[in-house]
Amino acid sequence: MMSLKSKNELLEVVRPRYLKASKSEKQKILDEFTSATGYHRKHAIRVLKNKVQAQNRLRGKGRSYRRLYQGEVVQAVVQIWEIYGRICSKRLQPFLPEAIRVLERYQEIELSEETKGLLLKISSASMDRCLRPSRIQTRHGLSTTKPGSLLKNLIPIRTFTEWDEEQPGFLEIDLVAHCGNSVEGQFLCTLTCTDLCTGWTEVIGLLHRSQEAVSEALRRMRQRLPFPLLGIDSDNGGEFINALLYRYCLDEEITFTRSRPYQKNDQAHVEQKNWSVVRHTVGYDRWETEQELALLESIYEDLRLYINFFQPSLKLIAKERIGNKTIKRYDPAKTPYQRMLERKEIPLDAKARLVHLYVQLNPAELRRRIDQKIAQLWKISR
C-alpha cells in the first residue's frame, strides 16, 4: 500500500505525460496509475486533470458550508423530540408547528422568534442530523404465539377486499408477552388494538393470556373507542381462536377474521404498534404480579392519550412497482386524533368530545407521568 506522500510524488510525475497523451495512451496510463495507487478510475481521471482540485481533495480541503441549525435550534429539536417519544423525523417534522403551539400554551418551551422561524422550516433530513448523537438502539423479545386449533374453519382468513379500511372501526389485535427471557409460567401480557383507517390505538394489560382475560379486555377496549367496533383481525393463537370470542362477535355482529399462519406481514399495522407503543415504552422485562399489572394499567391510561393525540404517523396511500423496485408514497404525518376529525363517518358530538379532551392535555406532563411510572415498574420488578 503506497503512502500519501508516494502517491503525490507519483501524481506529479504522471500528470504531464497524461495531459499530452492520446486517448489510447491515456487508457494505458490510467491502468498503471490506478493499479499503483488503488484509486477508483473516475477519481484518478479527476486528480490527473485538475491539479488544484486534486491537491485540495488530498489535503481535506473542499467547499465549506455554514451550519444553519445549531445551538438553541438543536436543543429545541432534541427537547421536542424527547417530549414526543423520540419518533422519527419524517413523522415529527410535519407535526412540528402544532407541537410548538401546544408546548408554548403550557409553557413547556420558550423559543426566540429566530429559533421558532428556523424550526418551522427545518426539513426532516436536517432534523435527523441534529438528532443523530441522541439516538440509541434497543433489543427484541420472544414470540409466544401458539396456534389455536378450534374454530379455524369457521373464522375466515382475512383478505383485504372483505374489509373497508377507509372506515373507522376495523381493528387488528395482538398480544405482547412480558415474559423476559423465558416463556415458562404465568406472566403479564398487553392486548394491542389498532384501527386501520385512523391508526387509533388502545393498549390493555392482562394478568395472563387466557381466553376469558382476552375476551374481557376486548369488551373494555370497545367501551374506550370513539367509534363503533365493526371488525377485528387476530393471529391464530388459541387466546383468540376460541368459542368464547367467536360467540361474542356473532352476538355483537362484529366481523371476526384471522391472519394466515406464520405470516406476520398480514398484521403489519398492529405488529408495528407492538414495537412503537408497547416495547418502546415498557421494554422487555418480565412481570407477573397484580401490583405490576396495576402499575402497567396506570401507564396505559396516560399512554393511550399520549399516542392517539400527540403521536403522528405516516399512512401508505399508494404503491407502485417499477421493475424490481417498489415505490411507496405516504400522506403527511398526522395523529390518530387529527385523522378522526377528518372522517365524515364520525358524529359531530364524538368529535366535540375529542376536541374538548385534546385542549386539556399537556403532552410534556403526560410524558413525565409515563416515565415516572415506568421507573416505578422497573424498580419493583428488580
Coordinates of all heavy atoms in Angstrom, one line a residue, residues 188-221:
L188 N -47.5 -11.3 32.7 CA -48.4 -10.4 32.2 C -48.3 -10.3 30.7 O -47.3 -10.6 30.1 CB -48.1 -9.0 32.8 CG -48.1 -8.8 34.3 CD1 -48.0 -7.4 34.7 CD2 -49.4 -9.5 35.0
C189 N -49.4 -9.8 30.1 CA -49.5 -9.5 28.7 C -50.1 -8.2 28.4 O -50.8 -7.7 29.3 CB -50.3 -10.6 27.9 SG -49.5 -12.3 28.0
T190 N -50.0 -7.7 27.2 CA -50.6 -6.5 26.8 C -51.4 -6.8 25.5 O -50.9 -7.4 24.6 CB -49.6 -5.4 26.5 OG1 -49.0 -5.0 27.7 CG2 -50.3 -4.1 25.9
L191 N -52.7 -6.4 25.5 CA -53.5 -6.5 24.3 C -53.4 -5.2 23.5 O -53.7 -4.2 24.1 CB -55.0 -6.8 24.7 CG -55.9 -6.8 23.5 CD1 -55.7 -8.0 22.6 CD2 -57.4 -6.9 23.9
T192 N -52.9 -5.3 22.3 CA -52.7 -4.1 21.4 C -53.8 -4.2 20.4 O -54.0 -5.2 19.7 CB -51.3 -4.1 20.8 OG1 -50.3 -4.3 21.8 CG2 -51.1 -2.8 20.1
C193 N -54.5 -3.1 20.2 CA -55.6 -3.0 19.2 C -55.3 -1.7 18.4 O -55.2 -0.6 19.0 CB -57.0 -2.9 19.8 SG -57.3 -4.2 21.0
T194 N -55.3 -1.8 17.1 CA -55.1 -0.6 16.3 C -56.1 -0.5 15.1 O -56.3 -1.5 14.4 CB -53.6 -0.5 15.8 OG1 -53.4 0.7 15.1 CG2 -53.3 -1.6 14.8
D195 N -56.6 0.6 14.9 CA -57.6 0.9 13.8 C -56.9 1.1 12.5 O -56.0 2.0 12.4 CB -58.5 2.0 14.2 CG -59.5 2.4 13.1 OD1 -60.3 1.5 12.7 OD2 -59.5 3.5 12.6
L196 N -57.3 0.4 11.4 CA -56.5 0.5 10.2 C -56.8 1.9 9.5 O -55.9 2.4 8.8 CB -57.0 -0.6 9.2 CG -56.7 -2.0 9.7 CD1 -57.1 -3.0 8.6 CD2 -55.3 -2.2 10.1
C197 N -57.9 2.5 9.7 CA -58.2 3.8 9.0 C -57.5 5.0 9.6 O -56.9 5.8 9.0 CB -59.7 4.0 9.0 SG -60.2 5.6 8.3
T198 N -57.7 5.1 10.9 CA -57.2 6.3 11.6 C -55.9 6.1 12.4 O -55.2 7.0 12.8 CB -58.2 6.8 12.6 OG1 -58.4 5.8 13.6 CG2 -59.5 7.1 11.9
G199 N -55.5 4.8 12.7 CA -54.4 4.5 13.5 C -54.6 4.6 15.0 O -53.7 4.5 15.8
W200 N -55.9 4.8 15.4 CA -56.3 4.9 16.8 C -55.9 3.6 17.5 O -56.2 2.5 17.0 CB -57.7 5.2 16.9 CG -58.1 5.5 18.4 CD1 -58.4 4.6 19.4 CD2 -58.3 6.8 18.9 NE1 -58.7 5.3 20.5 CE2 -58.7 6.6 20.3 CE3 -58.2 8.1 18.4 CZ2 -58.9 7.7 21.1 CZ3 -58.4 9.1 19.3 CH2 -58.8 8.9 20.6
T201 N -55.1 3.7 18.6 CA -54.6 2.5 19.2 C -55.0 2.5 20.7 O -54.9 3.5 21.4 CB -53.0 2.5 19.1 OG1 -52.7 2.5 17.7 CG2 -52.4 1.3 19.8
E202 N -55.4 1.3 21.1 CA -55.7 1.0 22.5 C -54.8 -0.1 23.0 O -54.5 -1.1 22.3 CB -57.1 0.6 22.7 CG -58.1 1.7 22.3 CD -58.2 2.8 23.3 OE1 -57.7 2.6 24.4 OE2 -58.9 3.8 23.0
V203 N -54.3 0.0 24.3 CA -53.4 -1.0 24.9 C -54.0 -1.3 26.3 O -54.3 -0.4 27.1 CB -52.0 -0.6 25.0 CG1 -51.3 -0.7 23.7 CG2 -51.8 0.9 25.5
I204 N -54.2 -2.6 26.6 CA -54.8 -3.0 27.9 C -53.9 -4.1 28.5 O -53.5 -5.1 27.8 CB -56.2 -3.5 27.6 CG1 -57.1 -2.4 27.1 CG2 -56.8 -4.0 28.9 CD1 -58.5 -2.8 26.7
G205 N -53.6 -4.0 29.8 CA -52.8 -5.0 30.4 C -53.7 -6.2 30.9 O -54.8 -6.1 31.2
L206 N -53.1 -7.4 30.8 CA -53.8 -8.7 31.2 C -52.9 -9.4 32.2 O -51.7 -9.5 32.0 CB -54.0 -9.6 30.0 CG -55.1 -9.3 29.0 CD1 -54.7 -8.1 28.1 CD2 -55.4 -10.5 28.1
L207 N -53.5 -10.0 33.2 CA -52.8 -10.8 34.2 C -52.2 -12.1 33.6 O -51.2 -12.5 34.0 CB -53.7 -11.1 35.4 CG -53.0 -11.7 36.6 CD1 -51.9 -10.8 37.1 CD2 -54.0 -12.0 37.7
H208 N -52.9 -12.7 32.7 CA -52.5 -13.9 32.0 C -53.1 -13.9 30.6 O -54.0 -13.1 30.3 CB -52.8 -15.1 32.8 CG -54.1 -15.2 33.4 ND1 -55.3 -15.4 32.6 CD2 -54.5 -15.0 34.7 CE1 -56.3 -15.4 33.4 NE2 -55.9 -15.1 34.7
R209 N -52.8 -14.9 29.8 CA -53.2 -14.9 28.4 C -54.3 -15.9 28.1 O -54.4 -16.6 27.1 CB -52.0 -15.2 27.4 CG -51.2 -16.4 27.9 CD -50.0 -16.6 27.0 NE -50.3 -16.9 25.6 CZ -49.8 -16.2 24.6 NH1 -49.1 -15.1 24.8 NH2 -50.1 -16.5 23.4
S210 N -55.3 -16.0 29.0 CA -56.4 -17.0 28.9 C -57.5 -16.4 28.0 O -57.5 -15.2 27.7 CB -57.0 -17.2 30.3 OG -57.7 -16.1 30.8
Q211 N -58.4 -17.3 27.5 CA -59.5 -16.9 26.7 C -60.4 -15.8 27.4 O -60.8 -14.9 26.8 CB -60.3 -18.1 26.3 CG -59.5 -19.2 25.5 CD -60.3 -20.4 25.2 OE1 -61.5 -20.4 25.4 NE2 -59.7 -21.5 24.8
E212 N -60.6 -16.1 28.6 CA -61.5 -15.2 29.4 C -60.9 -13.8 29.6 O -61.6 -12.8 29.4 CB -61.8 -15.8 30.8 CG -62.6 -17.1 30.8 CD -61.8 -18.3 30.4 OE1 -60.6 -18.2 30.3 OE2 -62.4 -19.4 30.2
A213 N -59.6 -13.8 29.8 CA -58.9 -12.5 30.0 C -58.9 -11.7 28.7 O -59.1 -10.4 28.7 CB -57.5 -12.7 30.5
V214 N -58.7 -12.3 27.6 CA -58.6 -11.6 26.3 C -60.0 -11.1 26.0 O -60.2 -10.0 25.5 CB -58.1 -12.6 25.2 CG1 -58.3 -11.9 23.8 CG2 -56.6 -12.9 25.5
S215 N -61.1 -11.9 26.2 CA -62.4 -11.5 25.8 C -62.9 -10.3 26.7 O -63.5 -9.4 26.2 CB -63.4 -12.7 26.0 OG -63.1 -13.7 25.1
E216 N -62.5 -10.3 28.0 CA -62.9 -9.2 28.9 C -62.1 -8.0 28.5 O -62.7 -6.9 28.5 CB -62.5 -9.6 30.3 CG -62.8 -8.5 31.3 CD -64.2 -8.0 31.3 OE1 -65.1 -8.8 31.0 OE2 -64.4 -6.8 31.7
A217 N -60.8 -8.1 28.1 CA -60.1 -6.9 27.7 C -60.6 -6.3 26.4 O -60.7 -5.1 26.2 CB -58.6 -7.4 27.4
L218 N -61.1 -7.2 25.5 CA -61.8 -6.7 24.3 C -63.0 -5.9 24.6 O -63.3 -4.9 23.9 CB -62.1 -7.8 23.3 CG -60.9 -8.3 22.5 CD1 -61.2 -9.6 21.8 CD2 -60.4 -7.3 21.5
R219 N -63.8 -6.3 25.5 CA -65.0 -5.6 26.0 C -64.6 -4.2 26.5 O -65.3 -3.2 26.2 CB -65.8 -6.4 27.0 CG -66.4 -7.7 26.4 CD -67.3 -8.4 27.5 NE -68.0 -9.5 26.9 CZ -67.5 -10.7 27.0 NH1 -66.3 -11.0 27.5 NH2 -68.2 -11.8 26.5
R220 N -63.6 -4.2 27.3 CA -63.1 -2.9 27.9 C -62.6 -2.0 26.8 O -62.9 -0.8 26.8 CB -62.0 -3.2 28.9 CG -62.5 -3.8 30.2 CD -61.4 -4.4 31.0 NE -60.4 -3.4 31.3 CZ -59.1 -3.7 31.7 NH1 -58.8 -4.9 31.8 NH2 -58.2 -2.7 31.9
M221 N -61.9 -2.6 25.9 CA -61.3 -1.8 24.7 C -62.5 -1.2 23.9 O -62.4 0.0 23.5 CB -60.5 -2.7 23.9 CG -59.9 -2.0 22.6 SD -61.0 -2.1 21.1 CE -61.1 -3.8 20.9

